[in-house]
Amino acid sequence: MHSLIRRNRIAHQSGQHCHDFSQILIGWKGRMACELLHGGGNYLTQGSFAIVPGQESHLFHGLSDDCELLVLDIPNADPLVSAIEQSSDIALYQDWLQTPRFAQITAGTAPLLEFASTRLQQRNDRVSAALSCQLLPLLLLQLCMPGETIEPEIITSIGSQSRIDEQQLNRLIDRHLSEPLDNQQLADHFYLSQSHFYTLFNRQFAMAPQQYVAQRRMQKARELLQTTSLSQLAIAEELGFSDASSLSRAYKKHFGQTPRQARKRAH
C-alpha cells in the first residue's frame, strides 16, 4: 500500500474505525465530530485536522449534509514518506504521526487545500497514485512545519464538555413530545457523537437517554391530566401515543395508577 490522498464525503454518516496505517483527516466542507481514543474529541471544519496514528481507534459523526474531508492514508514504511523525512529532517514516522491530536492550519496554508481539492475533483474523486505523489509532499510538509498550524484550544473541544445543559435538554425534548427524538437526533443537537453523548448522559443522569425522554413524556401527561380537561385520547395524541390505551399502559407502568385514577385524585 502506498500513501494516498482522497476526498471523502461524510454527510451524516457515523461509525468507528481502527486500522494499521496512519491517517490525517482534514476538514474541507461542513462539520464533523471526531473522537480519538487517546487524543480526546474535537470538531473538524474547514482547515482543522486530526492526526490518527495506526491502531488508534477513532469515532466520527458527520453533522451537515455537505460534510466532506480530505483524507491522507499513510502506511508504514512508505518510500515516499521516508523520502520526505530525509529531505526535510522531520521525523514523521517516529514522532509527528505517532501523536494523536487536533490542530488547525493557518490562513496562509488554506490555498493549498483548495488546490488539492480541485485537483482531486478534476479526477472525479478517483484515487490516483501519481496525483498523490504530487500532492502528498506539499500537504505533509505544510502541515508539520512549525508555525503553519495553530494549537487546538481555539476549537471547541468535545472532550472538554463534561456536562449536558439540563435546561436546554428539557426544552428540546418538550418541543418534540409528539415525535420523540432518538439518541442520534439528541446527540446532533449537542454536537456530540452518539457514543459520547450516551456515555455522558448516563454518567450525568444515571439513566439512558430514552428512559429520560419517556420520563419527560409521563410528567407532561400527569400535568395535562391534573390541570386540563383534555380527554385521554387528546393527551395521547399530543404525546405521540397511538391511542388512549397505549398512554394508559405506559402511565400505569410509570406511576402505578391509570390516567383515570390520577385525574380523580387530582379533583
Side-chain angles (χ1 to χ4, degrees):
M1 176 180 175
H2 296 286
S3 295
L4 296 170
I5 177 172
R6 55 192 172 87
R7 289 174 59 155
N8 187 5
R9 181 173 173 80
I10 302 296
H12 290 279
Q13 296 180 70
S14 61
Q16 182 172 3
H17 283 174
C18 185
H19 31 66
D20 59 4
F21 55 90
S22 300
Q23 279 189 327
I24 301 176
L25 309 177
I26 307 173
W28 173 235
K29 293 181 180 179
R31 183 180 178 90
M32 187 186 86
C34 181
E35 294 179 58
L36 307 178
L37 179 62
H38 299 103
N42 219 313
Y43 301 109
L44 293 182
T45 56
Q46 188 174 68
S48 59
F49 66 94
I51 298 176
V52 186
Q55 305 302 334
E56 175 77 11
S57 179
H58 52 289
L59 297 160
F60 69 94
H61 174 51
L63 298 172
S64 60
D65 291 337
D66 63 342
C67 180
E68 184 175 351
L69 304 179
L70 295 179
V71 179
L72 280 64
D73 296 321
I74 306 175
N76 293 324
D78 181 2
L80 176 61
V81 178
S82 298
I84 296 172
E85 283 188 311
Q86 294 173 9
S87 64
S88 62
D89 198 28
I90 296 175
L92 292 172
Y93 277 129
Q94 299 303 316
D95 183 15
W96 198 75
L97 287 171
Q98 294 304 311
T99 306
R101 62 189 183 279
F102 295 87
Q104 176 123 4
I105 65 171
T106 62
T109 307
L112 183 56
L113 297 185
E114 178 73 41
F115 173 75
S117 178
T118 301
R119 290 297 306 276
L120 290 167
Q121 185 66 41
Q122 289 171 348
R123 298 294 182 96
N124 297 320
D125 293 326
R126 293 177 61 188
V127 175
S128 164
L131 184 57
S132 293
C133 287
Q134 297 171 21
L135 296 176
L136 197 75
L138 294 173
L139 282 169
L140 273 181
L141 288 173
Q142 200 74 9
L143 293 176
C144 68
M145 288 295 289
E148 294 302 326
T149 59
I150 302 171
E151 293 302 312
E153 56 262 27
I154 68 166
I155 309 169
T156 303
S157 173
I158 298 171
S160 67
Q161 183 170 341
S162 60
R163 294 188 64 81
I164 295 169
D165 187 315
E166 187 172 355
Q167 291 185 344
Q168 186 179 2
L169 173 69
N170 289 341
R171 287 195 298 269
L172 175 65
I173 292 172
D174 290 349
R175 286 200 304 268
H176 297 87
L177 289 174
S178 62
E179 295 182 0
L181 301 177
D182 60 24
N183 288 355
Q184 187 67 73
Q185 292 168 315
L186 291 169
D188 286 350
H189 181 84
F190 290 96
Y191 299 105
L192 297 170
S193 70
Q194 185 175 169
S195 62
H196 185 80
F197 173 79
Y198 188 90
T199 300
L200 196 61
F201 197 101
N202 271 276
R203 185 186 307 138
Q204 182 174 338
F205 298 102
M207 68 178 73
Q210 290 308 309
Q211 288 178 290
Y212 190 93
V213 171
Q215 181 175 282
R216 293 292 298 181
R217 294 173 80 199
M218 289 298 96
Q219 290 171 348
K220 185 63 175 179
R222 181 168 60 180
E223 176 188 331
L224 293 173
L225 286 166
Q226 294 177 346
T227 62
T228 75
S229 59
L230 289 173
S231 68
Q232 289 186 39
L233 178 59
I235 294 174
E237 291 175 346
E238 184 164 336
L239 298 180
F241 289 92
S242 58
D243 52 41
S245 296
S246 297
L247 169 64
S248 183
R249 287 192 297 270
Y251 195 94
K252 185 174 183 179
K253 182 178 180 180
H254 189 81
F255 291 112
Q257 60 181 348
T258 65
R260 180 172 297 180
Q261 291 169 333
R263 176 161 274 173
K264 284 182 177 179
R265 292 183 182 179
H267 299 287

